[in-house]
Each structure stands twice: as C-alpha cells, then as structure tokens.
Amino acid sequence: MKLIIFAQLGEAQATLDLFKAQPLDNTERSLWKEGIVPTCYRFEYGHIVLSDIGLHAAAATLARYHPGHQEIWNIGLAGALSDSHSLFDILPIARSGKFVPFDTLDASSLQLVESTIPLVELQQEGVQLISSDFPLHQHCMRQKLAKQGFDLIDMEGYALAHLAQRLHLPCKLWKIVSDFASEGGAQMIKQHKKALSERLALFLDAQLRTSRL
C-alpha cells in the first residue's frame, strides 16, 4: 500500500474527488486556514493523508501513519527558484535539503549541520528541493538559494525524505510549481489553487496506474 502525503486539503481536494477517497473516523483536526477537516482518507491504492504545513507536521504525520505502507509519496506545491521552470510544471525530486542560514554559522556548527541534516538522495533523475520552516517570497533569497544549486523550495519535503530514509521506506517526491518564491507568491498560489489541485490529481492518477503495471 502507498501512503500519499499532501500538506493541505486545498492541494489534495481534486485527488480525493477523483479517487472517491473516504475519510476515516476520528482523524479530524484543524489545518492552517482550512478549519477542522478529516486528515486521513482510504482509497484503492492505500491512504491519502493531510499533514498540515511545515516540516514538523510532515514528520509527525509520517511517523503516525507509515505502519502498513510499503512506499511513501509526497506531492504538493513549491516555489521555483529558477526561471527555467514554469507555473504548473510537475518535477520529480532527486535530492532534498533543509534551509539553514549557513552564513551565520561557525565551522563547528556547519559540521554538525552536515551530520544531522544532510542532503537526502532520492533518485538519479530530477531536481533539487530545499525545505524551509517558513515561507520565502523574497527575490534576494531566491537568488541566493538558486546559486547554491536548488531548483524548488517547499515546507515539507525534506522532513518526509529524511524520515522515510531512517525508516528504510522507499520515498518519492514530486512538486508542482505554484509560484516563483518572490513577492506576490502567496497571491499567485491563491489564484491558481483549484487548477493546481486538478493538475496534481491527473498526474497522480497516471503515476498510480503506471505503478500497478
């Protein structure tokens, strides 16, 4: 069985509708700006869960729901750090790292960071994702992260990739370009929210059909 993790209901809604996913009892909780909703759904390939926004919420969700599943999939929104990617592009993640303000750390702290939150390798082909504890919509930060070799930024992917690796569970990440990690990004996400969800649903349907072959 697969465990598919979205951050929020807005991202997952079209997928839940397409697969006629059924909410499980006693999984309701409050999600950021979405109110109290069911957060775990059963469907033909396994379960779809909503983690809420953030690295800690994502890790806690995976820790709770991973038993009984053979593979972890995470799919959701991400800001593009490069102009080579377009709105609605869905990109596989090859490597995932965590945002750390490296320019404020001394040598000893940098060594500890490399040991405790290393770059996670997921697969050969794909782009490089960085995950932050908070939204980044500043052009100067976008440029800095792009120079470090990152293509996309989100708020959950690294936690899931890192924990899945520790649990020895196969993990796949895909991210859809929802904004450009610069001013106006939040408004862009809100404007295209429904279309982004629908694009993710069609993509997941194709991936799940292929995985069954």
Side-chain angles (χ1 to χ4, degrees):
M1 289 203 305
K2 290 178 172 56
L3 179 64
I4 299 180
I5 301 175
F6 288 86
Q8 290 204 291
L9 181 61
E11 296 168 279
Q13 189 64 68
T15 298
L16 297 173
D17 293 342
L18 179 64
F19 289 104
K20 297 180 172 59
Q22 298 301 307
L24 299 189
D25 294 336
N26 303 315
T27 64
E28 296 85 359
R29 65 187 184 90
S30 179
L31 300 185
W32 173 251
K33 292 188 175 181
E34 292 188 323
I36 298 174
V37 299
T39 58
C40 184
Y41 299 77
R42 182 184 293 110
F43 79 132
E44 61 181 298
Y45 296 94
H47 293 89
I48 297 169
V49 296
L50 311 177
S51 68
D52 206 0
I53 291 174
L55 291 152
H56 300 292
T61 297
L62 178 54
R64 177 180 179 183
Y65 288 108
H66 81 271
H69 296 91
Q70 287 74 49
E71 191 170 18
I72 310 303
W73 288 12
N74 170 232
I75 188 164
L77 312 185
L81 300 170
S82 167
D83 293 333
S84 63
H85 304 305
S86 302
L87 194 67
F88 297 108
D89 282 352
I90 298 180
L91 304 166
I93 306 303
R95 289 165 297 281
S96 181
K98 185 183 185 300
F99 173 75
V100 176
F102 289 104
D103 51 357
T104 66
L105 302 180
D106 59 22
S108 177
S109 295
L110 286 171
Q111 287 182 338
L112 182 61
V113 166
E114 291 174 0
S115 174
T116 57
I117 48 175
L119 198 68
V120 176
E121 300 283 343
L122 291 163
Q123 59 183 36
Q124 289 286 328
E125 297 183 1
V127 301
Q128 192 155 284
L129 171 75
I130 189 167
S131 299
S132 170
D133 288 301
F134 45 84
L136 286 174
H137 294 296
Q138 295 80 35
H139 186 70
C140 60
M141 187 58 69
R142 179 182 193 255
Q143 291 180 311
K144 182 180 291 188
L145 294 175
K147 287 179 181 178
Q148 293 175 15
F150 292 102
D151 301 281
L152 301 173
I153 183 167
D154 80 338
M155 294 179 62
E156 295 83 30
Y158 180 77
L160 296 169
H162 185 271
L163 181 53
Q165 187 179 71
R166 293 295 184 93
L167 294 171
H168 304 290
L169 284 171
C171 181
K172 293 182 179 180
L173 272 62
W174 294 275
K175 297 294 169 176
I176 187 169
V177 175
S178 58
D179 63 281
F180 297 97
S182 56
E183 290 75 6
Q187 291 77 11
M188 184 175 291
I189 293 170
K190 185 177 180 180
Q191 177 184 354
H192 297 291
K193 192 173 184 179
K194 185 173 184 291
L196 289 163
S197 181
E198 291 170 349
R199 173 93 168 91
L200 290 176
L202 293 175
F203 176 83
L204 265 179
D205 185 35
Q207 291 295 319
L208 288 164
R209 290 176 185 274
T210 300
S211 72
R212 178 175 272 182
L213 298 177

